[in-house]
Amino acid sequence: MLNKDFLSGHYQQTILSSLDEKKTVSSRELPSLVGSLCFSGRLLEAKKIYKDSYQTLNDTEKSACRFFIGLANTRKSQYSKASKIFRVNLKSLHKESDSLQKFYVYQGIAFYLFFVGKFELSMKWGLKSFDAAMDARDLYARSLSTDLLAHIKLRLGEINVGIDLLKTAEKLSRQIGNKSVTEAMEISELQYLAQYGYNRDNILTDLENKFNQFVSEDNYSRAAIGLELARQYTLRGRYDLSENILEKISSNIFATENRRQEIQLNIRFAENYYQMGKSALAWNYLRTARRCLNFEADKSFEIQITGFEYKLFDESARAGLRQELKNKARYFNTVINHNILTRNHIEVGQLFNHEDLYHNFLVSLETSADKTAKIIESGYLSLLPDVLGFKRGESLLYFDQEASQVILFFDNKIEIPSTHLTPTDIKILVSILSGMKTKEELCKKVWGYEYDPMRHDNIIYTGIRSLRKSLGNGSNWIETSENGYQFSEDRKFKINYRNQNLESKKNENSVLLQDFAPMDSFSSELNLRQIKSLQFLKQNECLDVTSYQKLFEVSDVTASRDLRTLKKLGFVISIGKARAIKYLLAQK
């Protein structure tokens, strides 16, 4: 019944070869034309053509046209019109109705119920649609019904089953050769994997590739992938990149008149501004999102917005919002919403399951011994301000001396420089953070030399250049003046040193740094392994070659050479002989 161009996802070609070239369209081809117009955002034309051709269509063709028009109305958030069309379709069934007509009828009802959040009821009609598609032996029908069942399963918390069903739907769609539908299904799979925290290391790259290589004619799907990509950028502290994506897709969202995507767009903007410390702007976007709500169909988003208000407002406003969230959860809930309420101790009860990996990560973070390291490993850098006790939107340098880790907090992003700090970089940074340093002071403190401009200027310039390179986009935070080098007075810093947090206030950097004598005593000849081995010996009695190998995953030769160097420089002493030799921290 559906023609080849439509089944292949070439909606514009279908429209061009029939409507635009003014060719006569047979009743058999009409559903393809109506569907193409609906998926291209030309709903008024689709309705007109269906109405004009109504008398020439058989029951199955009529049901197919109504199905596509109903989908388009739902996408445009015209829920009452969509509901009416799907009810008309249901009444059109009779004893002689074929399996394909039943599919279009049942699929439309299941889709509408899913869209308005009635997932259990949607599953009932979705299974009827799947059975009808199987009986009709129609690949297109089977791919759509399998895809919808996947979405329902995923929203009900059966994540692994849902992903498997999505993969099956993609295979069926590829058999037809429909690139548009296949791409929409691939996008849905990526969205769910990202939302539930699967494939964490590669999901951002996968989303970027899909967004940049998007070939489908379906603007709805392009906006969908863009919304999830923006969310992932926000989670990873790249608010600048997130905002760029949102700006790119906003015109498409407004053009297609999809209120649901418009709600998501405003929530994404609100989250960005919240993370950047701009609460007033976040609240403004949140109010715009609330004005877009259809309170009958958008209950999930209503809960999201109320939950956002809960974290945005102060404690005095939270009591009422807490009760409101509890009330809403009684009538509508999903695995994601339930887990969010549980994490925030608003809802008490059993979790749906443990397949929401992002939720499990956040729960495990609460009891983690090293929250910072766990967040850095995950890539979800937007969680760092709360863990480190920072104010969002501050320009700040965080240095973890134990891990030799620098994290830069800008007003619109959080970055970890790709270049690791060398031991000399660390010594220069710590020295400069303690206050303005002249060349003489820096030369003495970092390298242990009495300053001679002819001999040491080049060493100092090279060291400063290396540190700036290691700081990446924060390179200009190390400032040069007539008096020497200093950390920018416009920025703050915080150092995690010996389990202490030493921090600066604006224009008071030099006051709060304390005893860094152990760091100053390290020779610039030491490598990072040797520095860490000395820190190890502060907590442990001794170290041998075998233990050194295991600690740093180096060869026997490298371990022996490193330890001999430490002994030669006077940092450690040795006892025993041959393979039984032990190294102890020197008492000086």
Side-chain angles (χ1 to χ4, degrees), residues 231-242:
R231 175 178 174 270
Q232 291 300 314
Y233 278 141
T234 300
L235 279 173
R236 286 160 170 77
R238 293 308 307 266
Y239 317 124
D240 53 338
L241 297 180
S242 177

Side-chain angles (χ1 to χ4, degrees), residues 194 203-212 225-248 268 271-272 275-276 379-383 412-415:
I203 194 66
L204 185 62
T205 301
D206 293 341
L207 288 167
E208 288 171 334
N209 290 339
K210 180 59 70 175
F211 184 79
N212 293 326
I225 196 69
L227 286 166
E228 185 55 42
L229 178 57
R231 175 178 174 270
Q232 291 300 314
Y233 278 141
T234 300
L235 279 173
R236 286 160 170 77
R238 293 308 307 266
Y239 317 124
D240 53 338
L241 297 180
S242 177
E243 194 159 359
N244 287 340
I245 294 296
L246 294 175
E247 293 289 354
K248 285 182 180 180
R268 296 286 184 270
E271 182 65 33
N272 272 349
Q275 293 293 347
M276 289 190 282
Y380 299 136
L381 301 186
S382 66
L383 302 174
N412 64 348
K413 61 184 173 182
I414 302 172
E415 280 189 357

